[in-house]
């Protein structure tokens, strides 16, 4: 990109940038948090989470010292919880290996859990003024249009080309602002639909605009439809006031978040919802998950879901039905109720909690679990 287009982008950014909280800091840790939160999540949604998170964990050391429960609790509602766990792990490594300071060297940053080219480049350019490119969805759209990249997003050759273009562009003064200008342009002007080319600082040199191809570029990624998954979830209560048995870890759908026991009933990837049979303890029916064709249904599935996680209970009746769409899975879940439940001792990833406890801030629970509890308990 010619130097004048680069200058135009920076001038436009200075005049039009949104006042976002992470744009008021050069702290690499805070920028890291913001970049992870903003992945696949709207800026408006992120802002209150960002404030709460940094109020509670103002430094890498404070985040590193926190329990995963607390971290996931503060993340609850933002989705994509794997991001939070990786951020937590990455920050722990920064504290253990780099004395709590996010490393200025790109290679060291790239070695941290959860830090790929994009995050490393964002931290490098914004916090350390390094000429490191970034390509996110917004940048990809701007570059693909401006340079008429006509291969589909996500394809290897496209990614390579876009990173090369971003790499050329970032060279020069204010690399962090240049990267943010490109992201901002993509977010506010060069939008997926109805881009406002008349207000675009690089219109004069935009290939797609000149060729009348703006609506045709970028060529979208070929998306797979979310996979349809049928499952049974069990809300098993114990005691008065009633507590619900919850599970997390490798036996749970969302890893670090608490959810009710579940088992897939009609599709092949049973292991996504249930841990290995050998680790499940008492009451496991050895034939329950041997083959997807033999996957249990209804009451049997509810029994299996409980047995998988070491909970003994009397399965009562089907209490409701919940649908939940994730990026790659469309879940159709029959919700069953069970009572007189008893959890098997010695499983760290199993606990019983009241509705109030589950609803409290800081309790790491997914929205899906809340929907399931509503379906069963009202
Ligand atoms: S001129 Fe239009 S298509 Fe080209 S970069 Fe600007 S907003 Fe995007």
């Amino acid at each position: 990109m010619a130097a004048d287009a680069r200058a135009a982008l920076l001038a436009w950014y200075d005049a039009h940038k949104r006042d976002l909280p992470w744009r008021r800091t050069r702290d690499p840790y805070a920028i890291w948090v913001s970049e992870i939160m903003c992945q696949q999540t709207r800026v408006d949604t992120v802002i209150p989470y960002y404030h709460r998170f940094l109020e509670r964990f103002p430094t890498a050391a404070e985040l590193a010292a926190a329990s995963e429960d607390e971290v996931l609790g503060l993340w609850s509602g933002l989705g994509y919880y794997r991001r939070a766990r990786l951020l937590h792990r990455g920050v722990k490594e920064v504290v253990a290996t780099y004395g709590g300071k996010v490393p200025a060297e790109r290679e060291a940053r790239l070695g941290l859990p959860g830090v790929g080219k994009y995050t490393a480049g964002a931290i490098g350019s914004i916090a350390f003024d390094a000429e490191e490119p970034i390509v996110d969805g917004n940048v990809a759209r701007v570059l693909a249009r401006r340079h008429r990249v006509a291969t589909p997003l996500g394809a290897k050759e496209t990614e390579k080309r876009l990173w090369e273009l971003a790499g050329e562009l970032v060279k020069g003064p204010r690399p962090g602002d240049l990267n943010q200008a490109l992201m901002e342009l993509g977010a506010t002007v060069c939008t997926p639909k109805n881009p406002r080319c008349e207000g675009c600082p690089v219109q004069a040199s935009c290939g797609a605009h000149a060729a009348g191809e703006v609506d045709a570029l970028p060529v979208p990624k070929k998306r797979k439809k979310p996979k349809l998954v049928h499952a049974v979830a069990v809300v098993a209560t114990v005691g008065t006031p009633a507590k619900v048995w919850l599970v997390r870890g490798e036996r749970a759908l969302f890893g670090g978040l608490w959810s009710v026991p579940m088992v897939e009933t009609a599709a092949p990837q049973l292991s996504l919802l249930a841990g290995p049979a050998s680790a499940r303890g008492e009451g496991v029916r050895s034939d329950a998950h041997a083959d997807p064709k033999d996957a249990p249904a209804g009451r049997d599935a509810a029994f299996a879901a409980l047995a998988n996680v070491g909970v003994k209970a009397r399965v009562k009746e089907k209490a409701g039905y919940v649908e939940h769409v994730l990026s790659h899975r469309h879940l159709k879940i029959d919700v069953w109720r069970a009572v007189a439940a008893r959890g098997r001792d010695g499983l760290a990833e199993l606990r019983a909690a009241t509705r109030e406890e589950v609803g409290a801030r800081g309790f790491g629970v997914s929205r899906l679990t809340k929907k399931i509890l509503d379906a069963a308990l009202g």
Side-chain angles (χ1 to χ4, degrees):
M1 187 181 280
D4 52 351
R6 199 180 185 285
L9 263 173
L10 285 170
W12 172 85
Y13 180 67
D14 290 340
H16 297 283
K17 69 180 173 194
R18 289 168 294 174
D19 180 22
L20 302 175
W22 43 89
R23 288 189 174 152
R24 296 181 216 137
T25 179
R26 298 285 298 272
D27 174 2
Y29 161 71
I31 289 162
W32 186 3
V33 170
S34 74
E35 290 297 336
I36 300 294
M37 284 187 167
C38 285
Q39 285 168 20
Q40 283 137 338
T41 308
R42 289 170 49 84
V43 160
D44 295 349
T45 307
V46 166
I47 289 172
Y49 283 89
Y50 173 82
H51 284 307
R52 276 199 294 271
F53 202 85
L54 284 187
E55 258 164 43
R56 172 61 189 87
F57 310 123
T59 64
E62 276 150 299
L63 176 55
S67 69
E68 185 172 284
D69 260 1
E70 193 184 2
V71 175
L72 293 174
L74 277 174
W75 204 275
S76 184
L78 264 184
Y80 301 98
Y81 296 95
R82 188 164 176 271
R83 297 181 299 178
R85 287 199 296 277
L86 284 171
L87 171 66
H88 195 204
R89 270 177 56 201
V91 164
K92 280 182 177 178
E93 193 163 320
V94 161
V95 169
T97 310
Y98 303 104
K101 286 195 161 51
V102 178
E105 301 72 33
R106 177 175 169 81
E107 290 312 310
R109 264 179 275 126
L110 280 169
L112 296 169
V115 177
K117 275 200 299 186
Y118 170 83
T119 307
I123 299 171
S125 62
I126 299 168
F128 299 114
D129 243 347
E131 292 176 345
E132 296 181 33
I134 57 173
V135 177
D136 70 349
N138 286 322
V139 175
R141 186 166 53 257
V142 172
L143 295 178
R145 284 175 173 163
R146 186 166 188 278
H147 297 269
R148 297 177 71 192
V149 178
T151 48
L153 291 175
K156 245 189 191 160
E157 57 183 321
T158 312
E159 295 305 300
K160 186 167 174 285
R161 178 75 181 125
L162 294 175
W163 279 94
E164 278 168 8
L165 290 168
E168 288 162 18
L169 186 55
V170 76
K171 290 198 182 88
R174 302 173 58 194
D177 284 347
L178 193 283
N179 279 339
Q180 292 190 87
L182 272 178
M183 288 197 285
E184 190 79 347
L185 189 69
T188 62
V189 174
C190 194
T191 46
K193 290 207 173 103
N194 307 318
R196 296 187 295 106
C197 297
E198 67 286 354
C200 175
V202 295
Q203 191 214 86
S205 55
C206 176
H209 186 260
E213 291 173 353
V214 173
D215 292 338
L217 294 173
V219 177
K221 200 176 191 163
K222 289 189 179 105
R223 288 202 184 280
K224 285 190 200 155
K225 259 179 82 180
K227 185 172 171 280
L228 187 61
V229 174
H230 295 274
V232 161
V234 192
V235 175
T237 52
V238 60
T240 314
K243 291 186 170 190
V244 178
W245 282 108
L246 299 166
V247 63
R248 70 175 179 184
E250 67 174 33
R251 294 182 181 84
L253 180 57
F254 294 103
L257 295 178
W258 292 104
S259 67
V260 299
M262 264 196 252
V263 67
E264 193 171 323
T265 54
Q269 283 132 359
L270 296 166
S271 59
L272 291 174
L273 297 178
S278 60
R280 291 174 194 152
E282 63 209 341
V284 177
R285 291 180 177 182
S286 60
D287 62 341
H289 296 135
D291 186 309
K293 292 195 292 296
D294 300 329
R299 188 174 297 275
D300 279 357
F303 174 84
L306 292 168
N308 288 345
V309 298
V311 169
K312 274 200 161 180
R314 193 151 40 87
V315 174
K316 298 280 280 182
E317 71 277 308
K318 187 178 157 186
Y321 171 77
V322 163
E323 280 199 38
H324 197 72
V325 181
L326 302 163
S327 57
H328 56 300
R329 269 181 285 172
H330 182 160
L331 301 166
K332 295 189 169 193
I333 302 171
D334 284 334
V335 180
W336 283 68
R337 250 196 301 259
V339 290
R342 178 165 67 78
R344 185 171 176 246
D345 289 341
L347 282 177
E349 304 283 58
L350 180 69
R351 68 173 289 185
T354 63
R355 285 298 294 281
E356 287 66 35
E357 286 169 328
V358 172
R361 173 161 288 167
F363 193 99
V365 66
S366 67
R367 268 191 237 161
L368 172 59
T369 300
K370 288 182 179 165
K371 272 161 83 171
I372 290 172
L373 293 178
D374 287 345
L377 304 174

